[in-house]
């Protein structure tokens, strides 16, 4: 049953993505309302799919890569709905929905059957580790989107191209604030995820830290965002620089979470 709701979610998110992309370049503002309604329906289906999978498997579905991709997509949509309610930035959906759909369709590319939970993964620390790590990734993705929108809006302003997109994008100050808030939320989440992962590894493998590629690149990502926060607080890294750094940081997150996980074999491989 969870697979049925999962497939329905993929279809509805695809529809939402199409409508939001039309809204991106269209003068028809009412499209944003349709897109938001479709997104809300997709989120409801997605929540039902995750709930049913939790009941059917007997544990929260976050023990392999496709389940993590699905949860990442769910977190993205939840965050978008909260931001839409808080700031009314309709154009944000034109950036978030395609990413959430891409994440979900990537999850669909993997076998989706429920597997018996390995004894090593039946741990509270593992649940905290994966949940906070993925939610940290969601926050960094929001920072990436805010940075990307900032650069687009700045380019439109400098070129004095006051077109449809210019009026749909929020102010540079709001986008920079959104970038800062996302990093401020994502960094402690990633920190908790790393610490919980170390405690889990200590219980399972007898060592809190092993220098495998996954952990090394996660540490590099953590240090990058730590430096970014430090730079903003002490040196004044804001605006364009903060936008570029958020984009670079997101590329690091994608590399660590997907590329390293898929290509590098090791005890920490998350498939």
């Amino acid at each position: 049953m969870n697979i049925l709701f999962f497939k329905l979610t993929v279809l509805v998110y695809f529809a939402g993505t199409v409508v939001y992309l039309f809204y991106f370049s269209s003068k028809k503002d009412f499209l944003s309302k349709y897109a938001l309604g479709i997104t809300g329906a997709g989120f409801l289906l997605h929540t039902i799919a995750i709930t049913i999978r939790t009941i059917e498997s007997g544990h929260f579905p976050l023990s392999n890569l496709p389940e993590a991709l699905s949860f990442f997509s769910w977190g993205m949509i939840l965050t978008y709905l909260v931001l839409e309610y808080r700031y009314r930035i309709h154009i944000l959906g034109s950036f978030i929905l395609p990413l959430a759909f891409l994440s979900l369709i990537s999850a669909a590319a993997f076998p989706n059957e429920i597997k018996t939970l390995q004894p090593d993964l039946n741990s509270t620390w593992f649940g905290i580790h994966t949940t906070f790590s993925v939610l940290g990734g969601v926050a960094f993705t929001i920072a990436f989107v805010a940075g990307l929108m900032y650069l687009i809006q700045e380019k439109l302003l400098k070129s004095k191209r006051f077109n449809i997109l210019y009026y749909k994008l929020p102010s540079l100050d709001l986008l920079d604030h959104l970038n800062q808030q996302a990093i401020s939320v994502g960094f402690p989440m990633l920190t908790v995820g790393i610490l919980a992962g170390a405690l889990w590894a200590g219980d399972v493998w007898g060592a809190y830290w092993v220098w495998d590629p996954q952990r090394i690149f996660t540490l590099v990502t953590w240090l990058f965002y730590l430096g970014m926060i430090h730079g903003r607080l002490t040196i004044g890294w804001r605006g364009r620089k903060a936008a570029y750094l958020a984009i670079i940081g997101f590329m690091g997150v994608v590399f660590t979470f997907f590329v390293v996980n898929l290509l590098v074999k090791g005890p920490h491989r998350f498939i």
Side-chain angles (χ1 to χ4, degrees):
M1 184 63 76
N2 79 88
I3 294 177
L4 172 63
F5 278 95
F6 177 84
K7 290 179 178 178
L8 289 173
T9 303
V10 173
L11 289 175
V12 175
Y13 281 172
F14 174 72
T17 297
V18 171
V19 178
Y20 264 122
L21 290 180
F22 273 115
Y23 169 72
F24 182 84
S25 57
S26 171
K27 293 181 180 179
K28 300 175 180 177
D29 287 339
F30 68 89
L31 287 176
S32 66
K33 295 181 180 178
Y34 289 117
L36 181 60
I38 294 171
T39 302
F43 179 74
L44 179 61
L45 290 170
H46 202 171
T47 303
I48 294 172
I50 291 175
T51 302
I52 294 176
R53 192 174 180 90
T54 301
I55 295 171
E56 291 178 347
S57 66
H59 61 84
F60 191 73
L62 199 49
S63 60
N64 54 49
L65 185 58
E67 289 179 347
L69 287 168
S70 175
F71 184 63
F72 174 81
S73 176
W74 182 86
M76 286 282 295
I77 298 299
L78 174 62
T79 306
Y80 165 65
L81 292 175
V82 171
L83 292 175
E84 171 66 20
Y85 176 78
R86 174 70 176 81
Y87 295 107
R88 307 291 182 189
I89 309 173
H90 307 319
I91 194 70
L92 190 60
S94 300
F95 293 83
I96 296 295
L97 254 295
L99 290 174
F101 172 70
L102 184 62
S103 177
L104 204 59
I105 201 69
S106 299
F110 291 89
N112 210 7
E113 73 275 12
I114 295 175
K115 298 180 180 178
T116 303
L117 189 66
Q118 299 176 24
D120 291 352
L121 305 184
N122 189 16
S123 163
T124 302
W125 289 124
F126 177 78
I128 296 173
H129 165 58
T130 51
T131 301
F132 277 84
S133 297
V134 172
L135 291 178
V138 169
F140 295 142
T141 305
I142 297 298
F144 157 74
V145 169
L148 187 61
M149 293 169 70
Y150 183 99
L151 295 177
I152 294 173
Q153 183 69 309
E154 186 189 53
K155 185 176 181 180
L156 291 174
L157 276 169
K158 287 187 175 181
S159 62
K160 298 182 179 179
R161 292 173 56 197
F162 303 121
N163 55 19
I164 299 171
L165 184 57
Y166 167 79
Y167 290 104
K168 289 181 179 178
L169 288 169
S171 68
L172 294 179
D173 286 342
L174 178 55
L175 289 170
D176 188 50
H177 173 72
L178 191 59
N179 184 348
Q180 178 189 12
Q181 292 298 307
I183 299 295
S184 299
V185 171
F187 181 74
M189 283 188 170
L190 179 60
T191 303
V192 172
I194 292 174
L195 292 175
L199 293 171
W200 169 62
D203 289 342
V204 175
W205 298 323
Y208 294 110
W209 185 266
V210 178
W211 292 99
D212 65 39
Q214 185 83 39
R215 296 183 193 187
I216 292 172
F217 282 106
T218 300
L219 179 62
V220 170
T221 302
W222 184 84
L223 290 172
F224 178 87
Y225 283 109
L226 176 63
M228 191 174 170
I229 292 174
H230 178 74
R232 181 180 278 273
L233 293 176
T234 61
I235 312 175
W237 287 353
R238 303 175 188 279
R240 179 195 290 183
K241 178 171 288 188
Y244 276 120
L245 288 173
I247 292 172
I248 294 171
F250 175 73
M251 293 170 65
V253 170
V254 172
F255 180 81
T256 302
F257 189 65
F258 293 101
V259 179
V260 176
N261 187 59
L262 287 173
L263 299 182
V264 179
K265 294 183 179 180
H268 196 250
R269 201 176 185 196
F270 188 57
I271 295 181

